[in-house]
Amino acid sequence: MPVPMNKRNALKLIAGGAGWAGMAATLGLGLSACSEPKPSFNAVDITGADYARDFSLKDADGKLRTLADFKGKVVVLFFGYAQCPDVCPTTMTEMAQVKQQLGGDGDKLQVLFVTVDPARDTPEVLKAYMGAFDPGFVALIPTADQLAAVAKDFKVYYKKVEGKTPTSYSMDHSAASFVYDTSGRLRLYARYGAGVAPMVSDVKALLKS
């Protein structure tokens, strides 16, 4: 009995599909293996964000720094100031612990501290401040105009809060950290208070990816 034309075409398609599937199985090719699984992070994944992509600021030694200087390392960038009573020292302490817990990969982590109080945070002050947590941490000191520009680019908040004397003021500021992969791409937004272990896990994941 002759096979109808439409049924004959359907059989050809099925046979062809079976042939391709058989060939893929023979060659050990998984049809769903076209892309690697996306890494899972504890911090907020902001890969592809169109802000906070780079900076050009002087460090405490007067050397101009950009993200390109730290290629090959996971970079964690935080905005703060040396006289901060709680958030800043807590974050820096946690990052020192993260670096320690990374063991042999600790030197592949670079912490950057951008001061929001350049009037009081002199190079000498910030060298001592970074040294209190880890000598490898780098402080960046913008001018007042640079601070306004970089804060806008990074979408961070800072505001001077007057004290009892002209020099006893405090600074309100955003408390999150920006995390970059080893190629200098912005990947994560780490909220304050997330803890050491989640950050260690995220840094390890970025080092592997």
Side-chain angles (χ1 to χ4, degrees):
M1 178 179 180
V3 180
M5 183 65 67
N6 60 345
K7 189 171 181 181
R8 188 181 307 160
N9 290 339
L11 289 173
K12 285 182 179 179
L13 288 173
I14 293 171
W20 280 110
M23 185 182 295
T26 302
L27 296 175
L29 301 176
L31 297 178
S32 62
C34 297
S35 59
E36 295 181 2
K38 186 178 179 181
S40 177
F41 299 108
N42 296 291
V44 181
D45 189 341
I46 55 173
T47 301
D50 61 353
Y51 62 95
R53 290 181 174 178
D54 207 347
F55 55 83
S56 181
L57 300 170
K58 288 184 178 180
D59 64 17
D61 291 319
K63 182 179 179 180
L64 195 63
R65 297 284 200 159
T66 67
L67 275 172
D69 294 325
F70 309 103
K71 191 172 183 179
K73 296 185 178 183
V74 170
V75 172
V76 177
L77 184 147
F78 177 81
F79 288 82
Y81 68 112
Q83 296 192 39
C84 177
D86 41 35
V87 173
C88 302
T90 298
T91 299
M92 291 297 102
T93 298
E94 288 184 349
M95 290 312 305
Q97 293 172 356
V98 169
K99 184 175 179 178
Q100 184 179 26
Q101 291 189 24
L102 287 170
D105 285 334
D107 61 349
K108 297 177 183 177
L109 171 68
Q110 180 62 62
V111 175
L112 303 179
F113 182 93
V114 181
T115 179
V116 296
D117 186 18
R120 292 184 298 187
D121 283 351
T122 64
E124 292 75 23
V125 167
L126 288 177
K127 282 182 181 180
Y129 190 68
M130 294 293 98
F133 301 104
D134 187 283
F137 291 1
V138 173
L140 301 172
I141 310 174
T143 63
D145 289 342
Q146 287 175 329
L147 176 57
V150 75
K152 181 179 180 180
D153 183 49
F154 277 70
K155 302 184 185 297
V156 298
Y157 167 84
Y158 71 98
K159 182 181 179 180
K160 184 177 180 180
V161 180
E162 299 294 345
K164 293 181 179 179
T165 67
T167 58
S168 65
Y169 62 86
S170 60
M171 299 293 296
D172 283 347
H173 62 92
S174 301
S177 298
F178 298 86
V179 186
Y180 299 80
D181 63 21
T182 55
S183 297
R185 295 181 302 164
L186 178 61
R187 301 295 300 277
L188 305 175
Y189 181 85
R191 295 189 175 97
Y192 170 70
V196 173
M199 180 61 82
V200 171
S201 176
D202 284 351
V203 172
K204 286 182 176 180
L206 287 175
L207 287 174
K208 288 179 181 178
S209 64

